[in-house]
Amino acid sequence: EFFTFVDLMLERYRSDPTVALVCGTRIAPPSFNQLTHPYDFSIFPLIWGWATWRNRWQHYRHDIRGWQERVSVRRLAAHGGLLHAWDWYRLFNSVATDHPWSWDYQLTYMLWSRQELALIPPIDLVRNVGFGELASHTATEPYWAPHPPQEAARQAAMNGIYLGRAVPVAPSQAVDSFLRKKLFSPPLRERIRRRLPPFTVRPKNSP
């Protein structure tokens, strides 16, 4: 269904420059009502399977030195608070100076500098099979990695796309909040928890 979905969305939003690309993964929980809201929009481009238009891609730049001229700290904070702004400020600075191998964070910069959105499917349509010892950056599979659902759920979601109405182009606060907390800028409490050693309860009589 990935190619069917992106073909439909590329045609539907061809003339809307606010939509920068169509993603094949969702990662976030599915929409509650797939007939009235069969897909969503997000400020975060999810890159495990995606498609775009030539006139959008022409704005992509691998070299983002001077990025602060287009994306202010205030705008970063507006996306998710001061902790989120700090994370992306460091990340964009690192990409601009130290990590020429990166390309996906520049895609995020393209969206944010042009105030564009990514179209997110109702379910995960793509699974990344590139985990393992031979992988460049994904040696282990994260717990949030997308897995396409079973046939019944997949068919129900796709029916929602075909039967439902076009969704207004606006970021989904629920999707953005989930992706921000799970992938990009976890809350401070979660960061502390991840750094603590595992806690084990021992019986009273153990040495």
Side-chain angles (χ1 to χ4, degrees):
E1 263 75 17
F2 168 71
F3 293 104
T4 302
F5 175 75
V6 297
D7 282 348
L8 179 62
M9 295 299 110
L10 287 174
E11 181 60 32
R12 180 173 294 180
Y13 293 97
R14 178 184 301 274
S15 59
D16 190 336
T18 310
V19 183
L21 73 159
V22 180
C23 302
T25 50
R26 180 178 180 89
I27 299 177
S31 173
F32 290 108
N33 193 329
Q34 293 177 347
L35 284 179
T36 60
H37 213 71
Y39 50 89
D40 290 291
F41 292 93
S42 174
I43 64 172
F44 298 109
L46 302 178
I47 60 165
W48 289 350
W50 57 281
T52 188
W53 302 262
R54 179 183 299 179
N55 61 351
R56 271 66 145 192
W57 184 247
Q58 67 182 4
H59 298 290
Y60 176 86
R61 297 291 182 271
H62 184 265
D63 185 349
I64 62 170
R65 284 176 291 184
W67 64 268
Q68 300 95 329
E69 299 175 3
R70 299 289 303 276
V71 181
S72 65
V73 175
R74 178 177 296 182
R75 183 180 297 177
L76 292 178
H79 286 167
L82 293 178
L83 192 59
H84 169 89
W86 172 242
D87 286 336
W88 282 95
Y89 182 89
R90 293 190 303 166
L91 184 56
F92 282 153
N93 269 345
S94 178
V95 169
T97 57
D98 302 325
H99 294 88
W101 48 262
S102 173
W103 67 268
D104 47 348
Y105 295 123
Q106 291 93 320
L107 186 61
T108 303
Y109 166 75
M110 184 190 85
L111 266 66
W112 293 0
S113 66
R114 297 178 52 79
Q115 300 186 52
E116 298 172 334
L117 297 171
L119 193 154
I120 307 296
I123 56 174
D124 292 313
L125 301 174
V126 175
R127 180 179 181 181
N128 189 342
V129 296
F131 298 104
E133 297 179 354
L134 299 180
S136 298
H137 307 296
T138 52
T140 58
E141 184 173 4
Y143 71 94
W144 46 259
H147 292 270
Q150 297 298 320
E151 177 65 23
R154 181 183 60 80
Q155 192 60 51
M158 298 308 294
N159 287 341
I161 295 171
Y162 301 136
L163 301 177
R165 59 180 175 81
V167 175
V169 181
S172 166
Q173 294 184 2
V175 172
D176 284 348
S177 177
F178 183 92
L179 296 177
R180 182 169 54 249
K181 293 177 181 178
K182 293 296 183 181
L183 272 66
F184 303 111
S185 297
L188 184 59
R189 180 184 301 177
E190 177 65 17
R191 299 179 191 219
I192 295 175
R193 187 191 67 80
R194 292 179 183 180
R195 290 181 177 272
L196 292 176
F199 180 75
T200 303
V201 177
R202 295 184 177 181
K204 292 182 178 180
N205 296 331
S206 63

